[in-house]
Amino acid sequence: MTDSLAARWQALNLDRPSSARLLAVSKGHPAAAVRCVAELGQFDFGESRVQEALPKQEELIDLNLRWHFIGRLQSNKVRPVVKAFDVIHSVDSLSLAERVSRIAVEEARQPDVLLQVKLRPDPSKGGLSADELSTIWSDLQALPGLRVSGLMTMAPLDMAVEQRKHLFSDCRALADQLALAECSMGMSTDWKEAAAAGSTWLRIGSALFGPRLVSSDAAN
Ligand SMILES: *Cc1c(COP(=O)(O)O)cnc(C)c1O
């Protein structure tokens, strides 16, 4: 188990371009698995539910890991997320960004924020359209207490590979247009296409840790 985890981590690191960093998505896996991967040299971990993440973070406090929140962010969870996470990938409205900003200032934190965009119709997911983003862009940039550093997107589940490539390229182009360095895109099944299109964060769960043990909100 541990050996295959190490082998998968090494293979992912050999296969990816150095511009696309590996975000190890540990939701659904216990703290012990995170510790194994951290000991290989992995520093960035992603979680999508606060209740699941906090006890794990507590147990791993000695490792000084960098935690990324990648799940749907409910407004009543903004405070614990701002306190416990360094990067938030899933801010998908101006009102949510304003709340993150206010709470970050109160808590003397400065999270990196990625704006979740939805560039193709997908009823199962949140995200700003390109038009919505351009409408609120100047307001977003003026918010204190956070750094807007990039965009995050997810391909609709049933989307074909060719379409995914176009979607990821569109997301990269939109980030470039806004002078944003980060593009969080690509998961276990489509990270190669995302990396080729200019992803800077590959959010990889099952291809690293194996199937999730604890039920978790994969649809986020
Ligand atoms: C769970 C999750 C992932 C990782 O999914 P895998 O298919 O296991 O790699 C990536 N991004 C988000 C937002 C997730 O919720």
Side-chain angles (χ1 to χ4, degrees), residues 26-42:
S26 51
K27 69 174 185 212
H29 294 280
V34 175
R35 187 173 291 278
C36 284
V37 177
E39 281 167 358
L40 300 167
Q42 178 68 30

Side-chain angles (χ1 to χ4, degrees), residues 75-147:
S75 55
N76 65 334
K77 295 290 163 54
V78 169
R79 192 173 300 275
V81 166
V82 163
K83 288 170 79 168
F85 290 84
D86 304 294
V87 188
I88 307 173
H89 289 231
S90 45
V91 172
D92 63 358
S93 70
L94 179 59
S95 62
L96 194 54
E98 286 168 341
R99 194 176 177 88
V100 170
S101 165
R102 180 171 60 74
I103 290 174
V105 170
E106 284 171 14
E107 300 288 345
R109 301 270 301 166
Q110 193 166 39
D112 267 314
V113 162
L114 282 69
L115 303 166
Q116 186 171 346
V117 294
K118 184 164 71 170
L119 304 179
R120 301 289 187 277
D122 186 352
S124 73
K125 293 192 182 71
L128 294 155
S129 69
D131 282 348
E132 286 166 337
L133 179 53
S134 76
T135 305
I136 65 173
W137 180 239
S138 55
D139 293 331
L140 284 169
Q141 282 186 298
L143 293 175
L146 53 81
R147 284 181 299 259

Side-chain angles (χ1 to χ4, degrees), residues 25 27 70 152 154 187-188 203-206 212 218 220:
V25 175
K27 69 174 185 212
I70 61 171
M152 182 273 239
M154 273 183 279
M187 304 175 30
S188 287
R203 305 182 312 267
I204 298 187
S206 44
R212 280 182 269 284
N220 269 337

